[in-house]
Amino acid sequence: QMEGIKVSAASGRSLIPEVLPVKKIKINDSSRSVDLADILVQEAGLTVTGNNLSGERQEVVIPGFKARHTLVLLDGLPLNKPGESYDISRLPAALIDQVEIYDKSAVASGSGSQGGVINFVTKKQASNLIDLTGGVGSYGLIKTSAALSYRINSFDLLLNYSRRAARNDFLYKAKEYWE
């Protein structure tokens, strides 16, 4: 007689084993108006390729590797495919509670993580919340953000809208080269 076989699977399984991150960066409320790229450069000493302009692609580079060798996770779930980089400008800092950075020696999470792993951990709201922020800057820069957080039992819903635009109405006088 054959023993029964039990087959089970876990959904939402994190790719990060139980190891300590090399660096943890807590995102505080004063950092919400800053891009994640700025936070990673200033707090973790990582390199970010691309222009820090609205709509431009930004990729994280762990020193000694290329951007495609960094596995980017959101709450332990992969955002990029193996061998491809991820555009971190897609993630608003307002949604992130902390960033965990694992170097290549700390974790072996499979394809795409030769350089290391960056895990963005989202905020867990304790209550329902509506948050509106805005700012202005030079050359007609306007930044707006709206977030709605709603919690029912163990289900969290977090909606975020952000917009950043500039008129770029600075004066510029072209030199006459062909006179």
Side-chain angles (χ1 to χ4, degrees):
Q1 184 152 349
M2 185 181 235
E3 292 287 324
I5 298 174
K6 180 179 180 182
V7 177
S8 64
S11 64
R13 185 178 68 106
S14 174
L15 293 178
I16 303 175
E18 294 297 321
V19 296
L20 296 176
V22 172
K23 182 147 187 143
K24 258 188 191 179
I25 303 168
K26 184 80 170 158
I27 309 295
N28 57 29
D29 287 336
S30 64
S31 299
R32 291 178 357 157
S33 62
V34 180
D35 295 276
L36 284 175
D38 293 333
I39 294 169
L40 291 174
V41 168
Q42 294 168 7
E43 300 290 328
L46 299 177
T47 303
V48 175
T49 62
N51 295 322
N52 193 6
L53 299 173
S54 187
E56 293 290 326
R57 185 173 180 84
Q58 296 175 323
E59 301 166 343
V60 180
V61 179
I62 293 177
F65 294 90
K66 296 185 178 190
R68 68 175 189 246
H69 297 143
T70 302
L71 180 61
V72 179
L73 306 174
L74 182 67
D75 291 331
L77 300 174
L79 294 176
N80 58 326
K81 295 177 184 176
E84 292 182 8
S85 59
Y86 182 76
D87 179 10
I88 62 166
S89 69
R90 295 178 177 181
L91 293 174
L95 297 180
I96 306 301
D97 182 46
Q98 71 180 9
V99 181
E100 300 170 341
I101 302 169
Y102 303 81
D103 73 6
K104 65 181 180 351
S105 64
V107 65
S109 294
S111 286
S113 65
Q114 295 92 336
V117 176
I118 298 175
N119 184 34
F120 294 101
V121 180
T122 56
K123 291 182 178 181
K124 307 295 184 249
Q125 298 296 336
S127 62
N128 301 334
L129 172 74
I130 296 176
D131 183 28
L132 303 171
T133 58
V136 295
S138 57
Y139 306 116
L141 174 68
I142 298 174
K143 297 192 299 186
T144 56
S145 165
L148 169 68
S149 171
Y150 191 71
R151 176 172 226 168
I152 302 174
N153 299 329
S154 63
F155 177 75
D156 288 333
L157 173 67
L158 180 58
L159 299 173
N160 186 67
Y161 168 80
S162 61
R163 182 171 189 269
R164 182 176 167 173
R167 286 191 317 263
N168 292 329
D169 56 354
F170 51 90
L171 298 176
Y172 176 77
K173 184 173 180 177
K175 292 184 179 180
E176 297 293 331
Y177 289 103
W178 310 102
E179 291 184 16

